[in-house]
């Protein structure tokens, strides 16, 4: 019996519930990574299709980690595959989709989002998982199959880069 | 980096319009339906047919290999190694008292008569004989080989080209 079904009448841990809960996070992390909405949507689609086809036995509460892990793997593949496009034809501008109401910090927030997008993939991953998704360093290490020390080191170097980047602006 | 602590909030505002909406969900469901129908391709077309082709190809390959191997064997087979005894009558080194080999052949104390019906002898040559544990095929005999039948139903073959005698156990 399939645990995750595209049938909307399936129980709460089915595709529909997981999509409603986590798809936007998957989409935004993918967008941060790739800077391309179409590609980010494709990644999100592939992640949920994998969920439906592979039917992984996920521990409750760990579903998002699995979805993000699959998404980051797919982003990495696309990133590597698009080397020529990025390097020769240029990286597409990181488009923002701001909230309609303007706040005092809007410029600052947008600058931060752009700076995160500009980080190299290995730094971007840890920053997004730590600050955006709220995972601990040990959880990130588990998710990315890295040593915890490596995660801490990457976080520290990513912070330094962001600091320098945001100061310049 | 206090700003980073607010990355969630900043993202929610900066990427406010980037949401996984109903449209994307429908796209995924539609894609799943398409892939599902692709999975429903009859078993024989999806798995069995390609498997059968692969197995057949492997079988043909094996047969081809075996055939070439057999050819190798049959080419080397005529090198008979188990020679019981014998020589031409005219051969000075041959056994003493060898009678006219067109009628009989003597090996040691025993005299073997030529098989009276030559075609039958040829028939025998065409069938399988044995030297020790080795199977002998009719192709092992050179043309002109004379065949004798012993009283114990053994076959003696005298090769025409050199007069060598082979004792075959039927």
């Amino acid at each position: 019996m399939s645990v995750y079904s595209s049938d909307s009448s399936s129980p709460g841990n089915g595709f529909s519930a997981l999509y409603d809960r986590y798809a936007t996070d998957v989409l935004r992390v993918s967008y941060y990574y790739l800077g391309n909405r179409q590609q980010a949507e494709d990644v999100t689609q592939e992640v949920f299709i994998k969920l439906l086809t592979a039917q992984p036995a996920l521990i409750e509460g760990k579903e998002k980690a699995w979805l993000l892990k699959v998404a980051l793997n797919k982003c990495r593949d696309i990133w590597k595959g698009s080397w020529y496009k990025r390097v020769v034809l240029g990286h597409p501008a990181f488009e923002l989709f701001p909230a309609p109401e303007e706040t005092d910090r809007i410029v600052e927030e947008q600058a931060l989002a752009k700076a995160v997008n500009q980080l190299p993939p290995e730094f971007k991953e840890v920053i997004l998982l730590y600050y955006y998704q709220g995972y601990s360093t040990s959880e990130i290490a588990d998710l990315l199959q890295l040593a915890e020390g490596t995660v801490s080191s990457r976080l520290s170097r990513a912070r330094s880069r962001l600091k320098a980047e945001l100061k310049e602006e | 980096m206090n700003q980073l602590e607010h990355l969630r909030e900043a993202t929610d505002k900066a990427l406010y319009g980037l949401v996984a909406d109903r449209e994307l969900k429908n796209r995924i469901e539609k894609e799943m339906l398409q892939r599902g129908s692709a999975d429903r391709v009859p078993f024989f077309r999806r798995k069995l047919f390609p498997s059968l082709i692969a197995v057949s190809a492997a079988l043909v390959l094996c047969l081809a290999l075996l055939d070439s191997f057999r050819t190798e064997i049959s080419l080397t087979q005529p090198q008979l190694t188990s020679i019981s005894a014998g020589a031409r009558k005219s051969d000075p080194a041959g056994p003493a008292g060898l009678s006219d080999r067109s009628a009989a052949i003597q090996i040691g104390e025993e005299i073997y008569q030529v098989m009276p019906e030559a075609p039958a002898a040829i028939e025998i040559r065409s069938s399988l004989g044995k030297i020790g544990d080795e199977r002998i095929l009719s192709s092992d005999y050179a043309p002109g080989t004379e065949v004798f039948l012993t009283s114990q139903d053994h076959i003696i073959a005298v090769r025409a080209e050199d007069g060598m005698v082979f004792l075959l156990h039927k």
Side-chain angles (χ1 to χ4, degrees), chain A:
Chain A
M1 198 190 105
S2 61
V3 182
Y4 308 103
S5 165
S6 57
D7 180 2
S8 50
S9 62
S10 58
N13 67 340
F15 160 74
S16 194
L18 289 179
Y19 181 89
D20 293 343
R21 229 177 294 163
Y22 304 124
T24 297
D25 277 345
V26 172
L27 178 68
R28 287 182 181 171
V29 165
S30 305
Y31 182 70
Y32 259 126
Y33 203 116
L34 300 165
N36 180 307
R37 185 177 188 160
Q38 187 56 52
Q39 285 180 332
E41 285 183 351
D42 289 347
V43 166
T44 308
Q45 177 178 316
E46 286 304 312
V47 167
F48 279 92
I49 282 175
K50 185 164 184 183
L51 176 81
L52 291 167
T53 52
Q55 296 282 330
L58 301 177
I59 302 163
E60 207 170 336
K62 298 276 183 185
E63 297 96 337
K64 187 162 89 165
W66 185 89
L67 294 168
L68 288 172
K69 184 180 179 173
V70 176
L72 288 172
N73 283 338
K74 292 199 178 291
C75 287
R76 228 170 279 144
D77 290 344
I78 292 174
W79 184 262
K80 282 178 198 160
S82 64
W83 182 90
Y84 176 82
K85 265 187 172 176
R86 281 185 285 113
V87 174
V88 179
L89 304 177
H91 194 281
F94 184 73
E95 192 189 344
L96 294 168
F97 304 90
E101 74 272 19
E102 291 275 325
T103 63
D104 297 342
R105 294 173 59 197
I106 189 75
V107 176
E108 206 177 295
E109 285 162 351
Q110 288 183 354
L112 176 64
K114 280 184 179 174
V116 169
N117 167 256
Q118 308 257 309
L119 285 171
E122 65 271 25
F123 294 154
K124 199 157 30 184
E125 286 171 10
V126 291
I127 287 286
L128 287 172
L129 292 173
Y130 189 85
Y131 288 106
Y132 180 43
Q133 294 300 323
Y135 287 109
S136 67
T137 50
S138 64
E139 285 170 323
I140 297 171
D142 194 37
L143 210 143
L144 298 177
Q145 306 281 294
L146 294 170
E148 203 175 334
T150 310
V151 174
S152 302
S153 149
R154 284 187 187 178
L155 266 174
S156 165
R157 288 163 68 193
R159 276 189 216 107
S160 305
R161 282 217 185 197
L162 278 172
K163 199 174 176 180
E165 185 75 28
L166 292 169
K167 259 187 185 172
E168 277 177 21
E169 293 183 8

Side-chain angles (χ1 to χ4, degrees), chain B residues 68-154:
Chain B
S68 64
F69 186 61
R70 242 174 56 119
T71 309
E72 286 288 312
I73 290 172
S74 61
L75 284 174
T76 54
Q77 192 76 8
Q79 301 301 316
L80 301 177
T81 52
S82 176
I83 299 165
S84 298
R88 278 178 201 276
K89 184 184 175 188
S90 57
D91 189 345
L98 193 69
S99 61
D100 179 6
R101 71 184 176 96
S102 63
I105 185 168
Q106 181 175 2
I107 297 174
E109 295 293 318
E110 194 156 359
I111 296 170
Y112 299 104
Q113 295 299 315
V114 174
M115 292 184 72
E117 54 286 289
I122 294 163
E123 282 302 310
I124 290 168
R125 284 183 2 221
S126 300
S127 64
L128 292 175
K130 282 176 97 177
I131 291 182
D133 290 332
E134 296 289 329
R135 290 170 70 214
I136 306 301
L137 302 171
S138 59
S139 58
D140 299 330
Y141 294 99
T145 300
E146 287 176 286
V147 179
F148 301 83
L149 191 64
T150 73
S151 50
Q152 291 91 31
D153 274 337
H154 289 166

Side-chain angles (χ1 to χ4, degrees), chain B residues 13-54:
Chain B
K13 286 177 185 164
L15 301 181
Y16 174 84
L18 186 70
V19 286
D21 52 12
R22 183 72 223 170
E23 197 183 323
L24 182 58
K25 194 176 184 178
N26 289 342
R27 210 173 94 182
I28 294 168
E29 286 171 339
K30 200 175 157 191
E31 181 70 23
M32 267 310 290
L33 281 174
Q34 280 175 351
R35 292 193 190 186
S37 60
D39 285 347
R40 282 194 292 275
V41 172
F43 178 75
F44 77 92
R45 267 175 56 198
R46 190 162 35 94
K47 293 261 171 74
L48 195 60
F49 192 59
S51 308
L52 278 175
I53 289 176

